[in-house]
């Protein structure tokens, strides 16, 4: 026993006597052995007895060599000889009493006690690390099997859909796919919280990269880390073709990663070769990358999504595919974005876990120093950031060590008093229950409690049959972190509403109730166009406004959740048909008032609801019915919504572009005359009218300080200005009425000599309407005032057109246009 080998000077002022030392050592999870210089064991703690499956008396009759395999015994003897001079750590295989083995890490140090030499050995069981690796392998296999099962279920569902409802079912299938991805992501989330908190940060990042690549079925990917202080990014991990560039750094805002840092949302580029040609002229950065052999001539598609720490982007997940592997779909990008959100949560949670683990490690090392001497023990106890009490079986406080971090009260607050005299009745009852359990079982008992708005953890360690030590730690910060993590896992970070996970749990609970239930599903119309036109910040603002409108319209007991990017759903208890009619009317009235008060983009919602006709309700069927009704309404109001969008774009362009006042009408009139002069068919006139009026619609996405600058632009500003052709193209693709002119909008700044942008088209590869618009637009711009110069005469404008024929303009069209101008003196 401890008394026979380790003694301490008796001192009435120290309430932690020899029995207390043994009790503390027996609570340490690692194995503690004290041996003579020849390896014979003279003391072993309770963890050693549990690990080797010998009693403490039996272990004291053995030597350290008896606990090792024969192969390890010789290695151990050499280790003991070296440990005499300095502390040593080795890894050997140890044997239990039942002859089973485990890998152990032994930290040995020379330990003089009472003027006699000893060795102190701290043994740590490493078998748990192997179990973690096996669990991770098992999880990966189960995850792959789940993906296979989900794909098979998805194919079976498509085969059974009715042909007459094909268009509607395609929309529903999109939602079904998202649901399946949500289930997969939920599974990944649960696994992350179970596994990742045992890993280091770099292991977690490598795991996240592999899981993300598996999610969208690609073998190529990377993770960038961002360094805000140095304004650089560097590649921390890589898979496939990206593995060769781990460690390469580059400027903060360079390339696609730089665009993500500016736009702060997921980016998909499904024509990477064209992007490199368009966006990445040769720079010193390319020279540095070529040094590391970074060349992907066949790279086809790239998707990037951010990793967050609160509002800060701390990393980027990037995945790529070759042309034979196809493009990244919107569903894959959305799934990857949601995965990155959960990965960020797991990464932040792991950082907290390792911070607490590091703190516990420091605490354990400090506690080990208690073996040196009574005076050192007392000083060390004072340094521990926990409050420590000695209590008897009646809950009376016998000794007390105050702490600046936990229960920092004067000694007279506790000493001589019982728990019932100091604590609230409920807390005193709880503390006494755990104290009795500790004394009865003679084992450590732990419980949490709240006192004076702070949260604490109490550890009760029995030292005698009727006495115990209570170690109290302030865990308020950890409690708040855990509370925040729980809230984030159940709520949408943008709107504050419940998220998809909470909605699925609510659906499961309601499906077990014996009462009528109703569902209302709504979808924000034109959200993608809103994001493309005014930016994601405005789109996010619209979603928050919709969430507020819905909360105001619904009763307090309604369960409201954001279940997708632009979709919301609410669950109601025992609703009626008249209730839903009233709710829908209230929502539409609120939307109309909101749109009248707002001068920007109008918000439009499509609503659908359904009421269960059976109990317990079939929530899956009920959701499908409500979703079907919602899409039916969306189809009915599609035309009116489209007209509102077109009118809004006109207002936005007139408000932001100083050239549009009368400019569009003049271009339309002049283009109509030129088409007639050329003898071209009038069938394209409607589309050309749209092109004349909306060719610069992408300028609504250009910052005001560039768009309204009264003078020439800098090279950097001009680069941003040229992006308006691509912005206009994406907007036109989002509006059915504008889709026929989308290719013209992106090409209307191309030049005859191929020096235009963004595609560098040459000669007749440039669409004819764009070549016509270039002449008409330039002539109108020269002959009308601009903020930084006065209008020129028609003759000066014609001379400029002749000078640029064959370089900027189609030479043949230029000649014919000048003939039109000279024949019509009114121009």
């Amino acid at each position: 026993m401890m008394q026979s080998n380790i003694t301490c000077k008796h001192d009435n002022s120290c309430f932690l006597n020899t029995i207390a030392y043994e009790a503390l050592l027996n609570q340490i999870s690692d194995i503690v052995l004290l041996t003579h210089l020849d390896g014979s064991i003279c003391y072993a703690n309770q963890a050693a007895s549990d690990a080797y499956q010998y009693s403490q008396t039996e272990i004291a009759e053995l030597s350290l060599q008896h606990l090792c395999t024969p192969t390890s015994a010789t290695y151990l003897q050499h280790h003991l000889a070296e440990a005499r001079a300095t502390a040593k750590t080795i890894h050997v295989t140890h044997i239990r009493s039942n002859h089973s083995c485990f890998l152990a890490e032994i930290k040995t140090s020379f330990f003089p006690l009472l003027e006699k030499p000893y060795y102190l050995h701290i043994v740590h069981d490493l078998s748990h690390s192997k179990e973690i690796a096996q669990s991770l392998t098992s999880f990966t296999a189960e995850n792959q099997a789940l993906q296979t099962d989900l794909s098979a279920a998805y194919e079976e569902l498509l085969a059974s859909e009715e042909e007459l409802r094909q268009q509607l079912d395609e929309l529903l299938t999109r939602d079904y796919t998202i649901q399946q991805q949500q289930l997969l992501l939920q599974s990944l989330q649960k696994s992350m919280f179970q596994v990742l908190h045992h890993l280091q940060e770099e292991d977690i990042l490598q795991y996240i990269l592999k899981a993300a690549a598996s999610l969208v079925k690609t073998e190529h990917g990377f993770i960038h880390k961002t360094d805000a202080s140095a304004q650089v990014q560097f590649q921390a991990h890589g898979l496939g073709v990206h593995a060769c560039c781990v460690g390469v750094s580059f400027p903060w805002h360079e390339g696609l990663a730089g665009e993500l840092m500016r736009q702060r949302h997921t980016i998909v580029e499904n024509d990477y070769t064209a992007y490199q040609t368009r966006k990445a002229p040769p720079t010193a950065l390319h020279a540095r990358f070529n040094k590391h052999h970074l060349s992907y001539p066949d790279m086809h598609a790239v998707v990037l999504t951010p990793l967050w720490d609160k509002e800060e982007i701390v990393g980027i997940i990037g995945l790529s595919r070759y042309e034979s592997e196809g493009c990244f779909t919107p569903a894959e990008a959305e799934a990857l974005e949601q995965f990155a959100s959960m990965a960020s949560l797991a990464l932040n949670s792991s950082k907290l876990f390792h911070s607490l683990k590091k703190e516990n490690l420091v605490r354990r090392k400090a506690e080990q120093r208690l073996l040196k001497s009574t005076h050192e023990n007392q000083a060390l106890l004072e340094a521990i950031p926990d409050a420590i009490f000695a209590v008897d079986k009646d809950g009376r406080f016998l000794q007390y060590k105050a702490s600046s971090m936990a229960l920092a009260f004067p000694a007279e607050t506790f000493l001589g008093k019982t728990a019932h005299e100091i604590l609230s009745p409920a807390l005193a009852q709880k503390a006494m229950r755990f104290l009795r359990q500790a004394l009865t079982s003679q084992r450590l008992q732990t419980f949490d409690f709240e006192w004076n708005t702070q949260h604490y953890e109490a550890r009760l360690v029995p030292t005698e049959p009727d006495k115990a030590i209570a170690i109290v730690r302030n865990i308020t910060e950890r409690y708040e972190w855990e509370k925040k993590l729980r809230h984030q896992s159940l709520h949408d970070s943008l709107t504050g509403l419940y998220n998809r996970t909470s909605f699925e749990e609510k659906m499961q609970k309601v499906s077990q109730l014996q009462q009528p239930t109703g569902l209302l599903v709504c979808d924000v119309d034109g959200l993608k166009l809103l994001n493309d036109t005014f930016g994601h910040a405005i789109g996010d603002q619209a979603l928050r406004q919709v969430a507020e409108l819905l909360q105001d319209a619904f009763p307090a007991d309604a369960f409201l959740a954001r279940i997708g990017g632009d979709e919301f759903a609410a669950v109601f208890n025992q609703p009626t048909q008249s209730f839903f009619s009233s709710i829908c009317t209230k929502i539409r009235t609120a939307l109309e008032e909101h749109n009248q008060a707002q001068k920007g983009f109008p918000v439009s919602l499509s609503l659908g609801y359904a009421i269960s006709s059976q109990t317990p309700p079939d929530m899956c069927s009920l959701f499908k019915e409500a979703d079907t009704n919602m899409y039916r309404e969306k189809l009915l109001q599609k035309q009116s919504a489209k007209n509102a969008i077109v009118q809004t774009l006109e207002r936005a362009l007139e408000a932001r572009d100083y050239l549009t006042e009368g400019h569009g009408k003049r271009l339309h009139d002049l283009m109509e005359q030129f088409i007639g002069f050329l003898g071209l068919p009038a069938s394209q006139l409607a589309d050309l009218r749209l092109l004349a009026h909306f060719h610069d619609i992408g300028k609504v996405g250009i910052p005001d300080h560039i768009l309204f600058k009264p003078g020439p632009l800098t090279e950097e500003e001009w680069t941003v200005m040229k992006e308006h052709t691509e912005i206009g193209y994406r907007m036109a693709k989002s509006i059915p009425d504008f889709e026929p002119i989308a290719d013209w909008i992106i090409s209307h700044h191309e030049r005859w000599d191929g020096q235009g942008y963004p595609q560098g088209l040459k000669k007749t590869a440039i669409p004819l309407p764009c070549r016509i618009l270039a002449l008409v637009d330039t002539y109108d711009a020269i002959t009308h005032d601009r903020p930084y110069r006065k209008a020129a005469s028609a003759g000066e404008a014609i001379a400029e057109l002749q000078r640029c024929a064959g370089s900027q303009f189609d030479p043949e069209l230029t000649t014919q246009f000048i003939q039109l101008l000279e024949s019509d003196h009114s121009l």
Side-chain angles (χ1 to χ4, degrees):
M1 295 297 290
M2 187 70 174
Q3 295 92 327
S4 63
N5 296 298
I6 302 177
T7 62
C8 70
K9 187 181 295 183
H10 179 70
D11 187 346
N12 291 330
S13 66
C14 176
F15 64 90
L16 292 178
N17 55 21
T18 303
I19 297 178
Y21 301 154
E22 183 174 6
L24 286 174
L25 288 174
N26 284 336
Q27 296 306 317
I28 296 177
S29 60
D30 287 336
I31 299 167
V32 177
L33 300 174
L34 191 66
T35 70
H36 295 292
L37 297 186
D38 62 356
S40 59
I41 300 172
C42 55
Y43 171 74
N45 69 345
Q46 184 61 44
S49 177
D50 295 339
Y52 297 113
Q53 300 179 4
Y54 291 105
S55 68
Q56 287 176 289
T57 303
E58 290 172 336
I59 294 179
E61 297 175 355
L62 302 175
S63 68
L64 193 61
Q65 289 83 348
H66 285 117
L67 300 178
C68 299
T69 61
T71 305
S72 301
T74 302
Y75 180 37
L76 177 64
Q77 191 63 38
H78 179 69
H79 165 72
L80 292 176
E82 290 185 345
R84 184 68 181 268
T86 180
K88 291 291 183 178
T89 300
I90 63 170
H91 294 81
V92 297
T93 302
H94 273 190
I95 307 174
R96 301 183 179 93
S97 65
N98 61 1
H99 303 295
S100 62
C101 300
F102 66 92
L103 182 62
E105 178 186 76
I106 304 180
K107 298 181 179 179
T108 302
S109 59
F110 183 67
F111 186 76
L113 180 64
L114 300 179
E115 300 181 354
K116 291 183 180 181
Y118 294 90
Y119 285 128
L120 178 63
H121 310 273
I122 306 299
V123 183
H124 180 59
D125 187 349
L126 300 179
S127 58
H128 184 56
S129 301
K130 183 177 180 181
E131 293 174 1
I132 291 178
Q134 292 173 344
S135 298
L136 184 59
T137 302
S138 175
F139 160 71
T140 304
E142 290 174 1
N143 178 45
Q144 186 63 38
L146 178 60
Q147 282 187 318
T148 303
D149 291 343
L150 292 177
S151 298
Y154 177 72
E155 293 296 333
E156 182 179 355
L157 178 64
L158 282 180
S160 64
E161 291 297 332
E162 297 177 3
E163 183 177 356
L164 295 178
R165 297 169 58 85
Q166 182 176 359
Q167 180 178 5
L168 181 59
D169 285 344
E170 287 178 356
L171 297 174
L172 295 177
T173 300
R174 179 198 64 182
D175 184 68
Y176 176 80
T177 302
I178 294 175
Q179 292 181 36
Q180 299 306 305
Q181 292 171 340
Q182 288 286 352
L183 292 176
L184 176 60
L185 292 176
Q186 291 170 19
S187 176
L188 288 173
Q189 180 188 30
K190 293 177 181 178
S191 299
M192 281 182 183
F193 280 112
Q194 294 173 359
V195 179
L196 295 188
H197 71 279
H198 295 293
L199 305 177
Q200 298 297 325
E201 179 179 351
E202 294 306 318
D203 296 328
I204 295 174
L205 290 174
Q206 183 68 20
Y207 176 86
I208 288 173
L209 178 56
K210 291 180 179 179
S214 175
L215 182 65
V216 298
K217 296 182 177 58
T218 183
E219 298 178 353
H220 311 290
F222 56 84
I223 284 186
H224 287 174
K225 283 187 176 182
T226 61
D227 186 343
S229 60
Q231 292 288 292
V232 297
Q233 298 185 36
F234 66 94
Q235 184 171 320
H237 297 275
L239 289 177
V241 298
H242 301 286
C244 64
C245 287
V246 172
V248 174
S249 62
F250 50 94
W252 182 271
H253 287 141
E254 193 72 47
L256 276 177
E259 290 189 23
L260 184 144
M261 296 299 296
R262 290 191 295 272
Q263 300 180 22
R264 300 176 66 81
H265 63 78
T266 298
I267 291 179
V268 179
E269 178 55 64
N270 279 325
D271 190 352
Y272 188 66
T273 301
Y275 171 83
Q276 286 185 309
T277 303
R278 185 171 70 250
K279 290 287 187 178
T283 64
L285 173 68
H286 286 72
R288 186 166 75 254
F289 272 21
N290 288 335
K291 180 180 179 182
H292 293 273
H293 309 289
L294 182 59
S295 177
Y296 311 126
D298 299 323
M299 190 63 68
H300 177 60
V302 180
V303 59
L304 293 90
T305 193
L307 290 169
W308 298 89
D309 184 359
K310 297 180 180 178
E311 299 296 324
E312 180 183 0
I313 297 178
V314 296
I316 297 173
I317 301 176
L319 301 173
S320 60
R321 287 176 176 167
Y322 284 100
E323 186 167 2
S324 60
E325 297 170 324
C327 297
F328 288 104
T329 65
E332 289 176 324
E334 184 175 353
L336 181 62
E337 188 173 39
Q338 295 182 41
F339 170 81
S341 176
M342 286 184 288
S344 299
L345 188 63
L347 187 61
N348 294 333
S349 177
S350 179
K351 289 179 180 178
L352 174 62
F353 172 81
H354 287 293
S355 175
L356 294 175
K357 184 177 179 181
K358 183 178 180 181
E359 180 183 341
N360 288 334
L361 180 61
V362 172
R363 179 185 178 189
R364 179 184 299 175
K365 291 180 178 179
E367 290 173 347
Q368 290 174 354
R369 294 176 57 192
L370 291 171
L371 297 172
K372 289 187 176 180
S373 69
T374 301
H375 295 294
E376 291 180 356
N377 290 343
Q378 190 64 33
L380 187 58
L381 284 173
E382 293 296 333
I384 294 177
D386 301 328
I388 302 179
F389 302 85
V391 297
D392 62 16
K393 61 182 179 61
D394 298 321
R396 189 175 303 279
F397 296 97
L398 306 177
Q399 295 287 342
Y400 167 55
K401 182 196 79 70
S403 166
S404 60
M405 300 181 66
L407 303 177
F409 296 101
E412 55 267 22
T413 304
F414 298 99
L415 294 181
K417 300 178 182 178
T418 66
H420 289 284
E421 294 178 289
I422 298 175
L423 308 177
S424 66
L427 180 54
Q429 184 177 2
K430 180 178 182 181
M432 289 302 299
R433 184 173 73 254
F434 280 96
L435 175 61
R436 286 191 292 270
Q437 291 177 6
L439 295 177
T440 301
S441 65
Q442 285 296 297
R443 291 183 178 274
L444 170 72
Q445 300 292 325
T446 303
F447 67 95
D448 297 344
F449 65 93
E450 182 179 359
W451 196 27
N452 292 339
T453 71
Q454 296 289 300
H455 295 269
Y456 298 92
E457 176 190 75
R459 298 169 63 86
L460 292 169
V461 182
T463 59
E464 296 181 27
D466 60 349
K467 293 181 181 179
I469 293 175
I471 304 173
V472 181
R473 166 168 294 187
N474 190 321
I475 60 169
T476 303
E477 184 176 354
R478 187 183 77 189
Y479 176 85
E480 294 298 332
W481 261 98
E482 292 174 350
K483 181 179 178 181
K484 181 178 180 181
L485 291 175
R486 287 194 299 270
H487 184 275
Q488 289 178 343
S489 67
L490 296 175
H491 290 77
D492 174 46
S493 59
L494 177 64
T495 62
L497 303 178
Y498 288 107
N499 60 14
R500 183 69 181 230
T501 301
S502 300
F503 179 71
E504 295 292 348
E505 293 178 356
K506 180 68 173 179
M507 293 272 281
Q508 181 65 27
K509 292 178 181 178
V510 172
S511 66
Q512 301 172 4
L513 300 178
Q514 297 293 330
Q515 65 180 27
T517 302
L519 276 177
L520 184 143
V521 180
C522 59
D523 183 277
V524 181
D525 300 320
L527 181 63
K528 182 179 184 303
L529 177 61
L530 180 60
N531 288 332
D532 291 344
T533 305
F534 298 101
H536 282 264
I538 302 300
D540 291 346
Q541 180 182 346
L543 289 172
R544 285 191 290 266
Q545 291 172 344
V546 169
E548 293 174 1
L549 289 174
L550 294 177
Q551 286 178 304
D552 292 341
F554 293 161
D557 62 345
F559 181 92
L560 177 60
R562 181 187 176 201
I563 61 174
D566 56 0
E567 294 178 280
F568 298 84
V571 182
F572 300 91
N573 298 323
Q574 301 182 352
T576 62
Q577 189 72 28
S578 60
F579 168 80
F580 273 123
S581 298
S582 174
I583 285 290
C584 292
T585 300
K586 191 173 181 180
I587 293 173
R588 293 188 179 99
T589 301
L591 278 174
E592 184 177 351
E593 293 175 353
H594 170 79
N595 291 335
Q596 289 177 353
Q598 298 287 333
K599 296 182 180 181
F601 197 94
V603 178
S604 174
L605 289 178
S606 297
L607 306 173
Y609 62 85
I611 303 175
S612 64
S613 58
Q614 61 183 21
T615 55
D618 182 351
M619 298 306 293
C620 290
S621 299
L622 193 65
F623 180 83
K624 186 173 182 179
E625 181 183 349
D627 204 41
T628 300
N629 293 335
M630 183 267 290
Y631 276 107
R632 183 179 294 114
E633 177 176 293
K634 181 182 286 290
L635 293 174
L636 291 175
Q637 66 179 20
K638 182 177 180 181
Q639 187 59 44
S640 60
K642 183 199 309 179
N643 293 337
I645 290 172
V646 172
Q647 293 173 7
T648 301
L649 289 178
E650 281 189 282
R651 292 198 302 269
L653 190 59
E654 291 172 356
R656 302 205 59 193
D657 187 357
Y658 56 83
L659 292 177
T660 55
E661 184 176 359
H663 180 61
K665 185 178 185 308
R666 292 195 303 271
L667 290 185
H668 164 255
D669 293 344
L670 192 53
M671 287 179 70
E672 185 175 0
Q673 294 183 46
F674 193 25
I675 290 172
F677 183 82
L678 295 173
L680 298 176
S683 59
Q684 293 184 334
L685 188 58
D687 289 341
L688 289 172
R689 182 183 295 113
L690 282 177
L691 179 65
H693 204 66
F694 292 104
H695 62 279
D696 276 335
I697 189 62
K699 288 184 178 180
V700 300
I702 302 302
D704 290 347
H705 72 278
I706 295 177
L707 188 63
F708 298 121
K709 183 176 181 180
L713 302 178
T714 66
E715 182 178 349
E716 183 178 354
E717 291 170 338
W718 185 240
T719 299
V720 176
M721 175 65 84
K722 288 193 291 186
E723 293 178 357
H724 81 275
T725 58
E726 298 171 67
I727 296 173
Y729 173 81
R730 292 195 299 270
M731 293 170 61
K733 281 292 186 180
S734 301
I735 307 173
D737 283 357
F738 286 7
E739 189 170 4
I741 66 169
D743 291 335
W744 298 350
I745 288 177
I746 198 173
S747 303
H748 79 275
H749 277 294
E750 301 290 354
R751 291 169 51 106
W752 182 260
D753 58 7
Q755 298 301 309
Y757 64 89
Q759 303 171 87
L761 301 180
K762 298 177 65 174
K763 298 185 178 180
T764 56
I766 305 172
L768 178 61
C770 297
R771 286 179 274 151
I772 293 174
L773 176 66
L775 286 165
V776 174
D777 192 19
T778 301
Y779 177 79
D780 184 80
I782 294 175
T783 55
H784 289 83
D785 289 340
R786 282 197 168 184
Y788 52 88
R789 63 162 175 78
K790 294 293 185 179
S793 65
E796 291 172 325
I798 289 174
E800 180 64 16
L801 295 179
Q802 289 174 330
R803 187 182 67 82
C804 296
S807 58
Q808 183 176 352
F809 306 121
D810 181 335
E812 183 177 347
L813 282 179
T814 303
T815 301
Q816 293 174 310
F817 184 58
I818 292 174
Q819 291 175 0
L820 169 66
L821 295 174
E822 291 177 342
S823 65
D824 190 348
H825 298 292
S826 65
L827 298 177

